[in-house]
Amino acid sequence: IADVINGKAGLAVPYDQELLRDAILNILGDDRKRKEYGMRGRFLVQQEYSWSKIAGQVESLYLSILNAR
């Protein structure tokens, strides 16, 4: 969520129906912002959540568990 905050790749909206409605309408009405969020979101996922990166994190976790024994 930290990567979404401040409009980097989307919007974080408090749990409030009116604020959510306003945020959705804002994005729907702004083609440039919507495309920018989409591009940034895709880049973020490709960089931070690739299978090789996730596999490395899982491997590190398993090794730390094994070393703790």
Side-chain angles (χ1 to χ4, degrees):
I1 292 183
D3 294 310
V4 174
I5 296 174
N6 296 325
K8 291 180 184 176
L11 296 173
V13 180
Y15 188 74
D16 179 282
Q17 291 178 349
E18 291 181 15
L19 292 175
L20 178 59
R21 180 202 63 213
D22 292 345
I24 291 170
L25 291 175
N26 184 311
I27 291 174
L28 288 175
D30 191 336
D31 289 341
R32 184 187 60 77
K33 186 182 291 186
R34 193 171 54 251
K35 289 176 184 176
E36 186 176 314
Y37 284 168
M39 289 182 349
R40 287 182 180 177
R42 182 179 175 89
F43 178 78
L44 174 67
V45 167
Q46 289 174 331
Q47 295 299 308
E48 297 299 322
Y49 304 103
S50 68
W51 282 114
S52 61
K53 187 164 186 169
I54 298 298
Q57 291 173 342
V58 170
E59 180 183 27
S60 294
L61 174 64
Y62 286 171
L63 290 173
S64 70
I65 292 169
L66 289 172
N67 289 332
R69 290 182 164 202

